[in-house]
Each structure stands twice: as structure tokens, then as C-alpha cells.
Amino acid sequence: VDIVMKVNTDRTLTAQKPSYQHFIHALLCIIVVLASYMSTEGNSRTEAKSTDLVSESQQIRNRGKHFGSSFSSSQDFYKAYKEIESTYYQAAFAQSAQDTWKILAQNDGVEVALMEHPSDASCPYVRMKAEINVPVNDCWDFLALENWHRTMPKMDPFYEGVTTYGEYSYRNVNMILARKRTKRILTFEKRDFVFLSVSDEPKDDGTLVSGSVTIQAVDIPRMKGYVRAFQDSIAFYKPLSEEKTEITIVCRIDLNDRDGTGGNIPMVCGFVFSAGSRLQ
């Protein structure tokens, strides 16, 4: 599955890619489409509310973990990540949370669901679950930050590059502070994401955990000509056998800048991306 934005697609090369690359690509595309769609739909609802909800609107703009400096302590970064990881883990797996998920799509063993955020209806949680016949370490390596130069262009046709600012470690959790840049989407501005790329300790059942936590820091401002976007995501890779992995990804994504200076990707783009992915 690929996002089709170019007329000349080499279907022979596409067919030769390993199946798990197709699978992971498709899942990430689905997540971005759904989250972009729902965040934009939520924006419209929020803008239509009366002025007595200004405080809620201000709260929505404060997405990401805020630090006075990007070069904070490893402990501070660890705490920020663990708050996100704990919340997303409970949302994904706690029995009490299962009835709150609305299943949006189920196909070939892939399930995509949505759950409204308790204080930010414009940016819901999106959860993807699937089982694939790929060893857990192959899934892990494919999405690892150090392999993005090779793998990210296969997943994201708008990927432009990544810059790292430092590596941190605390309690056996490894964290890399980085900025991801994406190309212009149709007529819309480029995006930049400043985040912690996290490699966590395995859980007791052998599940590997990675995360991406949005960071707001004064000394890594938005790049000129880019819109600052938001993405928190936690991925859980549970080995079911030597050749089979259960993947669960929970994320919140907003491609529209929340300080009022950019964004406004309309819902129609979500339909374009979605339709393009189905064509393949």
C-alpha cells in the first residue's frame, strides 16, 4: 500500500517489497489520515463554540511537553515520556477503556479505532492493532530512528529529513531529541516535529516499547517556512512466536499549528490520502 501522489508508480518494485514493509506503511498512513481528518473536524467544532470556551481553546494550543530548554535533564525527559507511555498503555490495554474505543475499520486482521480525548475533542486518540508474520526485531529495526534515512521515505512520501540534537538515558530508557521535517503537502506549508524518540525496556511479557513524544522548547523554535505539528505516539511490539508479532500503536496527531500561525489542512486532504492508499 502506498499513498499515490505521483502518476508514474513502479508497481513492479512495489510488489517486490517485503510484506511487512507494505503493512507498516499502510498502518501509519491510515493513522495519519484518520488523525488528520478528526483533528480538522474537531477544529471546526471548536471554532464554532461560544466565547465562554476560550480557556478550553487555550488549553488545546498547549500541546506537547514544555521545557524551558531543549537540553533538559535525562530525568525530566524520562518523566515526560513515562507520563505519555502510561496513559497510552492504559488506553490501549486496560479492560475498563475498551468500551470507549470506536472501531473505524477492520480488514485483513488490521483494526483501527478512535477514542475521544477527555479534554481535547479536536485531537482524539487513534489506535491500530494487527498481527503480522514478521519477527519482532525486524519490526523494531524498521521503525528505529537510526534507520529512518532508509525506511522513512518508504513510509512517508513527504519525508524530508531528521536532525538529532542529543542522546539521553535514564533507568535503561534511551531517548533521542530530534526534529523531523516534511515536505510541502500539496499547497500547504512544510511541517516540522520536535520530539523525543524513545526506546524503552521490554515489558515482562517480552513486549518491546518505543515512543515519540512532542517537545516544546524555546531553543528549538519552529523553522522558518514550516508549520509546527504535533504527534505523540507509543508503539507496542509483542512477540507471539519467532516469526509473528502483534503490533499496537496509539497516537494523537495534529498537523495544524496550535499557536494560530499556520496549518488548516482541510478534511479533503484526508480523503485524497485515503483514496490514494486504497488505489494500491
Side-chain angles (χ1 to χ4, degrees):
V1 178
D2 288 309
I3 297 179
V4 179
M5 301 302 291
K6 296 183 292 186
V7 175
N8 296 321
T9 301
D10 189 333
R11 295 182 181 273
T12 301
L13 289 177
T14 300
Q16 292 175 350
K17 291 181 182 178
S19 59
Y20 77 90
Q21 292 187 12
H22 282 292
F23 182 82
I24 296 175
H25 186 179
L27 300 181
L28 295 180
C29 290
I30 289 171
I31 289 173
V32 172
V33 168
L34 292 173
S36 178
Y37 172 88
M38 293 306 299
S39 66
T40 309
E41 184 182 56
N43 291 345
S44 299
R45 292 198 303 266
T46 301
E47 290 169 2
K49 290 181 179 180
S50 59
T51 55
D52 63 342
L53 294 181
V54 170
S55 60
E56 179 181 347
S57 177
Q58 292 173 339
Q59 179 183 10
I60 291 174
R61 292 192 180 101
N62 293 327
R63 294 217 181 112
K65 294 295 183 180
H66 288 250
F67 294 89
S69 169
S70 62
F71 305 102
S72 297
S73 70
S74 298
Q75 184 175 357
D76 289 340
F77 283 155
Y78 172 86
K79 181 180 178 181
Y81 158 70
K82 276 300 182 181
E83 289 176 357
I84 297 294
E85 189 273 337
S86 176
T87 299
Y88 283 34
Y89 182 83
Q90 291 299 316
F93 300 111
Q95 189 61 41
S96 59
Q98 300 313 301
D99 291 341
T100 63
W101 287 98
K102 178 182 178 181
I103 297 176
L104 302 180
Q106 285 181 310
N107 188 30
D108 293 334
V110 180
E111 178 187 285
V112 179
L114 182 145
M115 180 172 69
E116 185 168 315
H117 190 276
S119 63
D120 188 354
S122 66
C123 191
Y125 296 101
V126 179
R127 182 187 69 187
M128 178 281 299
K129 296 195 302 182
E131 295 181 6
I132 58 173
N133 296 318
V134 176
V136 65
N137 288 331
D138 287 356
C139 297
W140 178 271
D141 290 342
F142 188 81
L143 293 176
L145 185 66
E146 59 265 27
N147 295 325
W148 275 20
H149 66 284
R150 174 175 54 86
T151 61
M152 190 57 67
K154 300 176 182 179
M155 294 189 291
D156 183 357
F158 302 107
Y159 175 73
E160 184 177 82
V162 65
T163 303
T164 59
Y165 294 91
E167 297 188 20
Y168 305 82
S169 182
Y170 187 78
R171 293 186 176 177
N172 296 321
V173 174
N174 297 316
M175 300 164 283
I176 302 174
L177 181 61
R179 185 205 303 266
K180 173 187 173 182
R181 307 180 311 278
T182 62
K183 302 173 186 176
R184 182 181 294 274
I185 304 173
L186 301 178
T187 62
F188 303 100
E189 295 293 337
K190 299 178 178 182
R191 261 60 182 170
D192 79 339
F193 303 78
V194 175
F195 63 97
L196 286 175
S197 176
V198 183
S199 300
D200 203 343
E201 286 190 298
K203 294 194 175 294
D204 292 339
D205 62 357
T207 297
L208 303 182
V209 183
S210 67
S212 175
V213 178
T214 296
I215 296 296
Q216 301 285 0
V218 294
D219 47 5
I220 309 183
R222 177 179 359 134
M223 294 181 67
K224 185 177 181 179
Y226 289 73
V227 170
R228 175 60 54 85
F230 164 86
Q231 174 180 331
D232 282 346
S233 65
I234 305 293
F236 304 92
Y237 315 78
K238 182 178 181 180
L240 301 179
S241 68
E242 290 186 358
E243 298 295 330
K244 193 170 187 177
T245 303
E246 178 185 78
I247 300 178
T248 302
I249 300 176
V250 181
C251 68
R252 296 177 65 220
I253 302 172
D254 191 350
L255 300 179
N256 296 316
D257 199 326
R258 282 321 179 108
D259 67 1
T261 59
N264 300 318
I265 292 183
M267 285 184 284
V268 67
C269 285
F271 292 122
V272 170
F273 298 155
S274 181
S277 65
R278 292 191 183 100
L279 287 178
Q280 287 282 40

